[in-house]
Amino acid sequence: MPVPQSAPGKASASYDVVVVGAGFAGMYMLHRLRGLGMTARVYEQGSGVGGTWYWNRYPGARCDIESMQYSYSFSDELQQEWDWSERYAPQPEILKYANHVADRFNLRSDIQFDTRVERAQFDEESHRWKIVTSDGDTVTAQYVVLATGCLSNARMPEIKGLDRFKGKVYHTGHWPHEAVDFTGQRVAVIGTGSSGIQSVPVIAEQASHLTVFQRTANFSIPARNAALSEEERQWFRAKYADIRYFAREVSRNGIYTEIPDRGALDDRDNERRARYEARWSSGGLTFMSVYNDLALDKAANDTAATFVREKIAEIVKDPATAKLLQPNSHPIGTKRICVDTDYFAAFNRPNVTLVDIKSNPIEEITAQAVRAGGKDYEVDALVLATGFDAMTGSVAKIDISGRDGLTLNQKWAEGPKTYLGLMSAGFPNLFIVTGPGSPSVLSNVIVSIEQHVDWIADCLSHMRAQGCEAMEASKDAEDKWVAHVNELAYATLYPQANSWYMGANVPGKPRIFMPYIGGVGPYRKICDEVAAKGYEGFAMTGAEQPRKLAASS
Ligand code: N01
């Protein structure tokens, strides 16, 4: 198929679509837009493609979803030809894959790297967006697609004295491109979410001493990572049609795995233990799919949480350290469960110390130490594994104004409001890929990315066929969707945790459960039905009837 491309070189004037971000979402969006014959410009603040996999280069970074599934499905040739080397791909390999996709589909000519979108302003007369970039360019586009990622805005913790520290400071979400060698150094890791848990065992191998500062103990399941054999790859490849269908249409989380047929309390103690043992041995996120009520029923959840706590006590030799590492503050799975390689065992090493900063908070950072509980822990380097301003952080950094000059930050001041996680009322022709209110971070995100991108591309094609030039979520549909997202979330145990799903990790951020918990399969059906009913809940306006939109919102 001939691929229409926008003029290469300096952005000058106008495009059908401006896409923000060249991660997995932005790249696939560009590919689909070209297929529709639309002109598009992708702006990417990094110097390369890959999004989260471009930035998160910390030691031990790898995907917690199996590589054969954490990959694009839109091209059968691509999925048949790419060789994943391990069950869980390490970050460099995922980045290599992203670059391969960019080259294979010739995407780079429409991507402008090292460029941030600073501002986007909707013009109500022309129904077009005016976009201002960090290099001072102003371009216009009929549509803007925010493919900015859910976990791409690394968050520096507010710790007194951080700027006075004389050693090197690294954030896991913004890791340098050159190799970092901790050999012979005293290193501190602050934070024990997925990034901390993945990096601790690897840094421990290098550092002369590693001190881990833990505020909240986390549940983590062994990855059981291993090299993939050619046989295993071929098994997946032969079954890809079924696997991808299941992930998209049937599963709740975009992962090919058994669907549990019973609750945890339906089994006797020994049967339950045997099931948990089996999943612990096979490893990975699907530990939470042993039973169908682990996210719903506290008593059921307690059985899984107790099992993991017992495992931690078996692995960690020092009882006091084991006790500190046993999570007790939240039901298992209500903070994103971690998947590790030898995390708990790392605390058996003589060069690793755990410091409990829940009971003895960090007071300050001095020129050469982390001071907590009145004690100075002297270190040469600080690793901040303190997470992200998730789901809304990267959108909030762009100054977006819609109808009547209302900014998206003003509209979302009390929490993000979207219809289907795809659009926000008052912001016509602005789409969000895996936005708040969609399954996004509760799923194998590439499955959710492909679903959103396909939906948006089909929608643009429909608008073109109907001669529409603007589309907008109605406020009524949005209010109902936000209520639905909340109702489902509060029927689960998730809101019991101070998680980044709730915005609880960012001081001052509104506490609202942001992702849609109803499941990937059911969510897709809802989106498809909305489209089949002529984009129910959205108002579309043709060039000749511009007032209809304003009246409907
Ligand atoms: O971030 P987090 P992350 N002082 O927010 C602590 C994805 N991911 O980068 O829990 C001291 O989970 C904070 O403590 P607390 C994955 O979806 C995927 O680890 O707030 N401590 C917590 O321990 C994941 O869920 C992979 O009490 C402070 C930690 O820092 C998401 O990204 C790999 C602090 C932050 O944990 C985020 O993970 C990595 C402070 N001021 C990440 N502020 C894959 O495997 C924060 N903390 C694909």
Side-chain angles (χ1 to χ4, degrees):
M1 177 175 57
V3 176
Q5 293 178 19
S6 320
K10 188 99 172 147
S12 54
S14 86
Y15 300 95
D16 293 324
V17 187
V18 156
V19 179
V20 189
F24 281 86
M27 287 201 294
Y28 182 43
M29 192 75 244
L30 173 59
H31 178 66
R32 285 297 320 264
L33 292 170
R34 282 179 174 176
L36 295 175
M38 299 181 101
T39 58
R41 189 81 172 164
V42 181
Y43 292 103
E44 166 56 54
Q45 66 174 328
S47 305
V49 296
T52 195
W53 300 105
Y54 174 87
W55 299 105
N56 284 265
R57 297 164 185 250
Y58 59 86
R62 67 175 69 242
C63 192
D64 59 4
I65 292 173
E66 298 189 18
S67 13
M68 294 301 293
Q69 299 199 52
Y70 189 84
S71 49
Y72 285 122
S73 70
F74 71 84
S75 158
D76 193 46
E77 293 82 7
L78 175 67
Q79 67 184 6
Q80 294 296 334
E81 78 196 7
W82 182 262
D83 276 342
W84 291 106
S85 66
E86 293 177 65
R87 180 177 176 192
Y88 299 96
Q91 173 272 333
E93 188 169 332
I94 304 175
L95 190 58
K96 196 169 154 199
Y97 172 74
N99 278 285
H100 169 75
V101 171
D103 293 334
R104 194 186 191 290
F105 297 96
N106 189 25
L107 299 177
R108 293 180 202 279
S109 54
D110 286 328
I111 304 175
Q112 186 171 321
F113 294 104
D114 302 303
T115 310
R116 281 186 47 75
V117 168
E118 304 280 9
R119 208 159 56 239
Q121 200 175 5
F122 185 66
D123 181 72
E124 300 195 36
E125 286 303 310
S126 63
H127 286 163
R128 291 182 70 81
W129 285 88
K130 188 169 95 177
I131 295 106
V132 181
T133 64
S134 53
D135 60 0
D137 272 352
T138 299
V139 301
T140 67
Q142 189 176 355
Y143 305 101
V144 172
V145 177
L146 300 175
T148 39
C150 297
L151 292 158
S152 45
N153 190 17
R155 198 182 69 80
M156 293 298 278
E158 291 164 18
I159 303 178
K160 189 175 149 201
L162 186 54
D163 53 336
R164 278 185 287 139
F165 183 66
K166 289 274 183 272
K168 289 264 190 199
V169 179
Y170 305 95
H171 193 293
T172 49
H174 209 108
W175 202 261
H177 287 207
E178 59 280 6
V180 176
D181 184 1
F182 290 118
T183 304
Q185 293 193 28
R186 298 162 303 172
V187 182
V189 170
I190 299 178
T192 51
S194 298
S195 305
I197 280 178
Q198 286 187 334
S199 58
V200 158
V202 183
I203 296 175
E205 296 274 341
Q206 285 185 357
S208 62
H209 197 90
L210 171 62
T211 311
V212 180
F213 292 86
Q214 171 190 276
R215 192 162 67 181
T216 306
N218 247 320
F219 291 99
S220 187
I221 309 296
R224 312 283 180 209
N225 188 35
L228 272 177
S229 66
E230 189 49 30
E231 264 181 331
E232 286 169 312
R233 284 194 289 262
Q234 284 309 341
W235 183 89
F236 264 97
R237 285 178 179 140
K239 282 183 67 126
Y240 251 143
D242 292 345
I243 289 169
R244 300 300 200 181
Y245 173 82
F246 183 94
R248 285 187 201 121
E249 312 274 344
V250 183
S251 79
R252 297 189 69 76
N253 55 10
I255 299 175
Y256 180 71
T257 185
E258 304 118 74
I259 294 190
D261 61 355
R262 67 183 75 192
L265 305 178
D266 295 336
D267 275 342
R268 292 165 195 276
D269 281 359
N270 57 343
E271 291 162 339
R272 196 166 47 233
R273 186 155 189 100
R275 283 174 187 268
Y276 287 143
E277 279 289 356
R279 285 297 172 99
W280 182 267
S281 302
S282 57
L285 283 180
T286 58
F287 183 83
M288 290 306 291
S289 312
V290 176
Y291 292 112
N292 59 19
D293 57 355
L294 295 183
L296 302 173
D297 179 326
K298 181 66 168 56
N301 186 286
D302 282 343
T303 65
T306 302
F307 175 87
V308 175
R309 283 193 284 263
E310 286 171 7
K311 284 290 178 194
I312 296 169
E314 277 172 31
I315 298 168
V316 180
K317 295 201 178 103
D318 172 48
T321 306
K323 193 157 190 296
L324 279 179
L325 287 166
Q326 290 174 322
N328 278 299
S329 67
H330 57 284
I332 185 168
T334 55
K335 279 185 166 214
R336 166 86 169 207
I337 203 159
C338 304
V339 173
D340 71 276
T341 298
D342 297 333
Y343 173 65
F344 295 114
F347 292 91
N348 294 332
R349 297 174 63 104
N351 69 332
V352 178
T353 309
L354 182 67
V355 176
D356 169 24
I357 52 170
K358 177 79 104 199
S359 39
N360 293 302
I362 297 177
E363 290 143 30
E364 64 179 310
I365 291 176
T366 67
Q368 62 277 321
V370 179
R371 183 171 297 160
K375 185 171 169 192
D376 276 8
Y377 297 87
E378 289 202 1
V379 288
D380 306 304
L382 268 182
V383 174
L384 305 171
T386 45
F388 303 87
D389 182 356
M391 304 206 69
T392 54
S394 295
V395 175
K397 273 166 106 174
I398 308 168
D399 179 10
I400 299 170
S401 51
R403 279 190 192 287
D404 304 322
L406 181 75
T407 69
L408 197 60
N409 285 335
Q410 287 167 336
K411 182 175 171 191
W412 287 8
E414 285 162 17
K417 294 190 182 75
T418 69
Y419 178 37
L420 300 174
L422 278 159
M423 292 191 109
S424 193
F427 296 82
N429 291 1
L430 178 82
F431 294 91
I432 313 167
V433 182
T434 63
S438 74
S440 59
V441 292
L442 295 178
S443 67
N444 172 355
V445 79
I446 299 193
V447 173
S448 291
I449 283 171
E450 288 190 328
Q451 185 243 334
H452 266 187
V453 168
D454 287 337
W455 193 93
I456 293 167
D458 292 348
C459 172
L460 298 186
S461 175
H462 170 88
M463 287 177 71
R464 188 169 56 185
Q466 300 296 315
C468 299
E469 63 176 30
M471 171 180 182
E472 182 178 353
S474 83
K475 183 154 179 337
D476 184 46
E478 178 174 280
D479 287 346
K480 286 187 180 133
W481 183 252
V482 170
H484 174 61
V485 170
N486 268 292
E487 192 188 341
L488 290 191
Y490 279 88
T492 74
L493 303 173
Y494 276 84
Q496 293 186 19
N498 288 326
S499 65
W500 55 258
Y501 297 139
M502 297 285 296
N505 64 326
V506 178
K509 190 166 173 172
R511 297 272 175 118
I512 180 167
F513 193 79
M514 292 183 283
Y516 178 68
I517 208 164
V520 161
Y523 172 79
R524 176 184 291 264
K525 282 196 188 75
I526 294 169
C527 292
D528 288 350
E529 278 166 22
V530 163
K533 289 181 188 162
Y535 293 90
E536 188 180 47
F538 293 97
M540 292 205 185
T541 311
E544 71 288 353
Q545 41 171 320
R547 297 266 67 86
K548 186 180 160 200
L549 244 183
S552 73
S553 56

Short mmCIF file of all heavy atoms in Angstrom, two decimals, residues 256-276:
data_model
loop_
_atom_site.label_atom_id
_atom_site.label_comp_id
_atom_site.label_asym_id
_atom_site.label_seq_id
_atom_site.Cartn_x
_atom_site.Cartn_y
_atom_site.Cartn_z
N TYR A 256 -3.28 -13.30 28.14
CA TYR A 256 -3.77 -14.65 27.84
C TYR A 256 -3.49 -15.54 29.04
O TYR A 256 -2.34 -15.88 29.33
CB TYR A 256 -3.05 -15.17 26.60
CG TYR A 256 -3.44 -16.55 26.15
CD1 TYR A 256 -4.68 -16.77 25.58
CD2 TYR A 256 -2.55 -17.61 26.28
CE1 TYR A 256 -5.04 -18.05 25.14
CE2 TYR A 256 -2.90 -18.88 25.84
CZ TYR A 256 -4.14 -19.08 25.27
OH TYR A 256 -4.50 -20.33 24.84
N THR A 257 -4.50 -15.87 29.78
CA THR A 257 -4.33 -16.73 30.95
C THR A 257 -5.68 -17.37 31.25
O THR A 257 -6.71 -16.93 30.71
CB THR A 257 -3.81 -15.91 32.16
OG1 THR A 257 -3.54 -16.79 33.23
CG2 THR A 257 -4.80 -14.87 32.62
N GLU A 258 -5.68 -18.38 32.14
CA GLU A 258 -6.99 -18.99 32.45
C GLU A 258 -7.87 -17.99 33.19
O GLU A 258 -7.37 -17.16 33.94
CB GLU A 258 -6.85 -20.20 33.38
CG GLU A 258 -5.94 -21.28 32.90
CD GLU A 258 -4.79 -21.45 33.87
OE1 GLU A 258 -5.01 -22.01 34.96
OE2 GLU A 258 -3.69 -21.01 33.53
N ILE A 259 -9.17 -18.12 32.98
CA ILE A 259 -10.10 -17.29 33.75
C ILE A 259 -10.56 -18.13 34.95
O ILE A 259 -11.05 -19.24 34.78
CB ILE A 259 -11.30 -16.87 32.88
CG1 ILE A 259 -10.79 -15.96 31.77
CG2 ILE A 259 -12.37 -16.21 33.71
CD1 ILE A 259 -11.86 -15.28 30.97
N PRO A 260 -10.35 -17.62 36.16
CA PRO A 260 -10.71 -18.43 37.32
C PRO A 260 -12.21 -18.67 37.41
O PRO A 260 -13.01 -17.80 37.07
CB PRO A 260 -10.23 -17.57 38.50
CG PRO A 260 -10.09 -16.19 37.96
CD PRO A 260 -9.84 -16.29 36.51
N ASP A 261 -12.56 -19.87 37.86
CA ASP A 261 -13.98 -20.21 37.90
C ASP A 261 -14.52 -20.24 39.33
O ASP A 261 -15.62 -20.68 39.57
CB ASP A 261 -14.21 -21.59 37.24
CG ASP A 261 -13.44 -22.69 37.95
OD1 ASP A 261 -12.66 -22.38 38.89
OD2 ASP A 261 -13.61 -23.87 37.59
N ARG A 262 -13.70 -19.84 40.29
CA ARG A 262 -14.16 -19.92 41.68
C ARG A 262 -13.48 -18.87 42.55
O ARG A 262 -12.46 -18.29 42.17
CB ARG A 262 -13.87 -21.30 42.24
CG ARG A 262 -12.38 -21.54 42.37
CD ARG A 262 -12.05 -22.91 42.85
NE ARG A 262 -12.24 -23.86 41.77
CZ ARG A 262 -12.27 -25.17 41.93
NH1 ARG A 262 -12.15 -25.70 43.12
NH2 ARG A 262 -12.40 -25.96 40.90
N GLY A 263 -14.07 -18.70 43.71
CA GLY A 263 -13.51 -17.77 44.68
C GLY A 263 -12.54 -18.48 45.61
O GLY A 263 -12.56 -19.71 45.72
N ALA A 264 -11.73 -17.69 46.30
CA ALA A 264 -10.69 -18.28 47.15
C ALA A 264 -11.28 -19.10 48.29
O ALA A 264 -10.69 -20.09 48.72
CB ALA A 264 -9.81 -17.16 47.72
N LEU A 265 -12.44 -18.71 48.77
CA LEU A 265 -13.00 -19.43 49.91
C LEU A 265 -13.82 -20.65 49.49
O LEU A 265 -14.33 -21.38 50.33
CB LEU A 265 -13.84 -18.47 50.77
CG LEU A 265 -13.07 -17.22 51.22
CD1 LEU A 265 -13.95 -16.27 52.01
CD2 LEU A 265 -11.83 -17.59 52.04
N ASP A 266 -13.90 -20.87 48.17
CA ASP A 266 -14.58 -22.08 47.69
C ASP A 266 -13.70 -23.31 47.82
O ASP A 266 -14.17 -24.43 47.70
CB ASP A 266 -14.99 -21.93 46.21
CG ASP A 266 -16.01 -20.84 46.02
OD1 ASP A 266 -16.71 -20.53 47.00
OD2 ASP A 266 -16.08 -20.27 44.92
N ASP A 267 -12.40 -23.08 48.00
CA ASP A 267 -11.46 -24.20 48.14
C ASP A 267 -11.09 -24.40 49.61
O ASP A 267 -11.07 -23.45 50.39
CB ASP A 267 -10.18 -23.92 47.35
CG ASP A 267 -10.31 -24.30 45.88
OD1 ASP A 267 -11.24 -25.09 45.55
OD2 ASP A 267 -9.50 -23.83 45.07
N ARG A 268 -10.76 -25.66 49.94
CA ARG A 268 -10.24 -25.92 51.29
C ARG A 268 -8.81 -25.37 51.38
O ARG A 268 -8.16 -25.18 50.36
CB ARG A 268 -10.17 -27.42 51.54
CG ARG A 268 -11.50 -28.11 51.63
CD ARG A 268 -11.24 -29.61 51.50
NE ARG A 268 -12.47 -30.32 51.23
CZ ARG A 268 -13.32 -30.71 52.17
NH1 ARG A 268 -13.06 -30.47 53.43
NH2 ARG A 268 -14.43 -31.33 51.86
N ASP A 269 -8.33 -25.26 52.62
CA ASP A 269 -7.00 -24.67 52.84
C ASP A 269 -5.91 -25.33 51.99
O ASP A 269 -5.11 -24.65 51.35
CB ASP A 269 -6.59 -24.83 54.31
CG ASP A 269 -7.27 -23.77 55.17
OD1 ASP A 269 -8.01 -22.95 54.59
OD2 ASP A 269 -7.05 -23.79 56.39
N ASN A 270 -5.89 -26.66 51.99
CA ASN A 270 -4.78 -27.33 51.29
C ASN A 270 -4.90 -27.19 49.77
O ASN A 270 -3.90 -27.04 49.07
CB ASN A 270 -4.65 -28.80 51.71
CG ASN A 270 -5.93 -29.57 51.49
OD1 ASN A 270 -7.00 -28.97 51.32
ND2 ASN A 270 -5.84 -30.89 51.46
N GLU A 271 -6.16 -27.16 49.26
CA GLU A 271 -6.33 -26.97 47.81
C GLU A 271 -5.90 -25.55 47.42
O GLU A 271 -5.22 -25.33 46.41
CB GLU A 271 -7.81 -27.12 47.42
CG GLU A 271 -8.34 -28.54 47.54
CD GLU A 271 -9.86 -28.58 47.57
OE1 GLU A 271 -10.51 -27.56 47.88
OE2 GLU A 271 -10.40 -29.64 47.27
N ARG A 272 -6.29 -24.63 48.26
CA ARG A 272 -5.96 -23.22 47.97
C ARG A 272 -4.44 -23.03 47.98
O ARG A 272 -3.88 -22.41 47.09
CB ARG A 272 -6.62 -22.35 49.04
CG ARG A 272 -6.70 -20.89 48.66
CD ARG A 272 -7.64 -20.13 49.54
NE ARG A 272 -7.44 -20.41 50.94
CZ ARG A 272 -8.40 -20.81 51.77
NH1 ARG A 272 -9.64 -20.94 51.32
NH2 ARG A 272 -8.14 -21.04 53.04
N ARG A 273 -3.83 -23.61 48.98
CA ARG A 273 -2.38 -23.46 49.09
C ARG A 273 -1.70 -24.06 47.86
O ARG A 273 -0.75 -23.49 47.30
CB ARG A 273 -1.90 -24.15 50.38
CG ARG A 273 -0.47 -23.89 50.61
CD ARG A 273 0.05 -23.95 52.00
NE ARG A 273 1.41 -23.45 51.90
CZ ARG A 273 1.77 -22.23 52.21
NH1 ARG A 273 0.92 -21.39 52.70
NH2 ARG A 273 3.02 -21.84 52.03
N ALA A 274 -2.22 -25.21 47.42
CA ALA A 274 -1.61 -25.87 46.25
C ALA A 274 -1.74 -24.97 45.02
O ALA A 274 -0.81 -24.86 44.21
CB ALA A 274 -2.30 -27.20 46.01
N ARG A 275 -2.88 -24.30 44.89
CA ARG A 275 -3.04 -23.40 43.73
C ARG A 275 -2.09 -22.21 43.81
O ARG A 275 -1.47 -21.82 42.83
CB ARG A 275 -4.48 -22.87 43.67
CG ARG A 275 -5.46 -23.87 43.13
CD ARG A 275 -6.86 -23.30 43.25
NE ARG A 275 -7.84 -24.31 42.89
CZ ARG A 275 -8.33 -24.48 41.67
NH1 ARG A 275 -7.94 -23.70 40.68
NH2 ARG A 275 -9.20 -25.43 41.42
N TYR A 276 -1.99 -21.63 45.01
CA TYR A 276 -1.06 -20.50 45.15
C TYR A 276 0.38 -20.95 44.90
O TYR A 276 1.15 -20.24 44.24
CB TYR A 276 -1.17 -19.86 46.54
CG TYR A 276 -2.43 -19.05 46.76
CD1 TYR A 276 -3.08 -19.04 48.00
CD2 TYR A 276 -2.98 -18.27 45.75
CE1 TYR A 276 -4.22 -18.30 48.22
CE2 TYR A 276 -4.13 -17.52 45.96
CZ TYR A 276 -4.76 -17.54 47.20
OH TYR A 276 -5.89 -16.79 47.41
#
